[in-house]
């Protein structure tokens, strides 16, 4: 056991990475380490990295440079780096050669080996590199040091088989592996007993859940099982691939009372030519039909999406198709990204890359339009009553508390510690593009 020893984990990227960091923290706590917010007090600092876009990588290298000072002050400090970036040869080489203060490099497939890797370093003080090229089935269930007491992530499927031509994820997270239904339901029950009110099921494509299992279990059936878990109040899931968003899933969202009224359905582009070249497996018309069906059949449901602008070969006409789609579908929210060349992916090898300036200009046009739509939609909520799960102080102002509506909108309320973890009714009094404000009734 490591007594009076402290750790800090710096996480980049998506919810999967944040959840992996909770599991890294869980293992460190089992080893006797305690969390500290102060890097200067830490005996172990881990970076959990992201490689989805170039700027994510640049941030990691910047942080690694900063960490050198802590190693100078404390030569016993262990600095480790893991996550998606470390599943690629080039960044591993660069870290190993140029950042000599890094003691440990590990990948996404062997996070469960962290305790052994740390013990090895503690005993030998050698630098350790352990990155597996391939996944060995599912990463086993691991202890988690959860960020929130009231909402929790549950990983239901690891990896991705889709190979969208711009995306690095299948190369760094491996093939799809579904977790057995019993293990997911057991975790949900344990979390609910511990006071968790809301769970978010995680996977790169949750709709593929079960395809690799022998049994007759599908994602909609998994939702039925989870809806039965007592004390649980809300179930969210992300991400859904539009191609696999079935009518059976839509019916269950309508039918199951605990399912949140929010669907994140990344479209990426409104142009059929671009969608085909992205290997997304659906057309613009199909996508529009799916979203309209959701909006018509689930009253009040919020739909959000992701866009990539400046995919290789994207013409002004293609981009206009995206703009038209946004106008037609009135999304509640959208994450908009500039296409980033990821080495090893088919799109990165194309010689018709879009100029940076053009990409930036398209991004701005798209963001301006979506912000206006989100603003108008949120303004219509003023005067309505919404249920929010109060999570605690907001990031920017500890005197203001926040929670999320079933439709996944952030809502600010007055500070009230007693409400943390409660689902309360709020009268909405103000609204911006990304947030609401209200008073608890
Ligand atoms: N699996 C999910 C899906 O298919 O929508 C999302 C996974 S990815 C972590 C989240 C988002 O990052 C994607 O929806 C896409 O918009 C964006 N993304 C992925 N690769 C990208 C790239 N090379 N450049 C810019 N954005 C990218
Ligand atoms: Fe990447 Fe496409 Fe898989 Fe999503 S579905 S993780 S975008 S390859």
């Amino acid at each position: 056991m490591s007594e009076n020893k402290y750790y800090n984990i710096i996480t980049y990227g998506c919810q999967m990475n944040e959840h992996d960091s909770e599991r890294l923290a869980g293992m460190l706590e089992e080893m006797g380490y305690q969390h500290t917010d102060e890097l200067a007090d830490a005996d172990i600092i881990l970076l959990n990295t992201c490689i989805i876009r170039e700027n994510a990588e640049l941030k990691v290298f910047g942080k690694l440079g900063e960490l050198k000072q802590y190693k100078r002050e404390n030569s016993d400090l262990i600095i480790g780096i893991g996550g998606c970036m470390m599943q690629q040869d080039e960044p591993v080489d660069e870290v190993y050669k140029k950042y000599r203060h890094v003691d440990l490099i590990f990948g996404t497939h062997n996070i469960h080996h962290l305790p052994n890797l740390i013990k090895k370093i503690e005993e030998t003080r050698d630098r350790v590199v352990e990155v597996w090229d391939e996944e060995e089935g599912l990463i086993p269930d691991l202890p988690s040091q959860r960020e929130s007491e009231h909402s929790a992530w549950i990983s239901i499927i690891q990896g991705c088989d889709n190979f969208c031509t711009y995306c690095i994820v299948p190369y760094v997270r491996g093939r799809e592996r579904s977790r057995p239904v019993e293990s997911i339901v057991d975790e949900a029950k344990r979390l609910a007993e511990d006071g968790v009110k809301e769970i978010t099921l995680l996977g790169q494509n949750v709709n593929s859940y079960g395809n690799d299992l022998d049994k007759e279990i599908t994602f909609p059936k998994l939702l039925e099982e989870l809806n039965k878990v007592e004390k649980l109040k809300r179930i969210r899931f992300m991400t859904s691939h539009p191609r696999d968003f079935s009518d059976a899933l839509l019916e269950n969202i309508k039918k199951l009372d605990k399912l949140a009224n929010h669907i994140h359905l990344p479209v990426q582009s409104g142009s059929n030519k671009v969608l085909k070249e992205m290997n997304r497996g659906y057309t613009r018309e199909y996508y529009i039909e799916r979203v309209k069906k959701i909006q018509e059949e689930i009253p009040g449901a919020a739909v959000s999406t992701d866009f990539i602008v400046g995919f290789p070969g994207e013409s002004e006409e293609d981009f206009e198709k995206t703009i038209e789609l946004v106008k037609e579908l009135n999304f509640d929210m959208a994450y908009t990204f500039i296409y980033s060349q990821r080495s090893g992916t088919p799109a990165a090898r194309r010689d018709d890359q879009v100029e940076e300036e053009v990409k930036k200009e398209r991004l701005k046009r798209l963001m301006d339009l979506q912000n206006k739509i989100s603003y108008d939609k949120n303004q219509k909520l003023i005067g309505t009553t919404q249920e929010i799960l109060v999570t605690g102080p907001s990031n920017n102002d500890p005197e203001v508390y926040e929670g999320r509506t079933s439709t996944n909108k952030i809502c600010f309320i007055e500070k009230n510690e007693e409400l943390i973890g409660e689902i309360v009714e709020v009268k909405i009094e103000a609204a911006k593009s990304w947030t609401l404000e209200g008073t608890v009734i």
Side-chain angles (χ1 to χ4, degrees), residues 13 19 79 83 114 149 185 188 197 207 216 226-227 251 260 266 270 305 322 329 338 358 360 371 379 381 391 413 415:
H19 184 43
I79 298 180
L114 182 75
E149 285 172 36
V185 173
K197 303 265 169 51
N207 310 129
E216 281 290 290
L226 290 168
N227 200 63
E251 285 310 312
T305 194
T322 297
L329 291 181
I338 284 186
V358 175
K360 283 187 192 153
N371 285 347
Q379 284 288 311
L381 295 177
T391 44
I413 55 169
K415 178 176 177 173

Side-chain angles (χ1 to χ4, degrees), residues 51 57 61 64 81 85-100 102 105-106 127 129 131:
I51 197 174
E57 269 188 272
F61 285 120
L64 275 182
I81 177 164
M85 230 171 112
M86 294 300 107
Q87 283 300 139
Q88 297 269 291
D89 293 341
E90 268 177 52
V92 169
D93 276 357
E94 187 164 348
V95 171
Y96 193 76
K97 289 188 187 132
K98 292 198 192 151
Y99 297 85
R100 310 273 321 157
V102 172
I105 297 178
F106 60 106
R127 298 178 84 197
V129 180
V131 179

Side-chain angles (χ1 to χ4, degrees), residues 160 162-164 166-167 169-170 204 241 268 280:
C160 181
N162 285 313
F163 290 94
C164 301
Y166 50 82
C167 186
V169 168
Q204 292 300 346
H241 195 297
Q268 315 299 359
R280 288 291 290 177

Side-chain angles (χ1 to χ4, degrees), residues 305-320:
T305 194
D306 292 350
F307 288 106
I308 295 178
V309 299
F311 182 79
E314 183 191 67
S315 64
E316 179 57 29
E317 202 187 342
D318 292 320
F319 179 67
E320 281 297 331

Side-chain angles (χ1 to χ4, degrees), residues 102-118:
V102 172
D103 304 282
L104 168 64
I105 297 178
F106 60 106
T108 56
H109 303 312
N110 62 336
I111 61 169
H112 52 297
H113 278 203
L114 182 75
N116 291 339
L117 301 175
I118 288 176

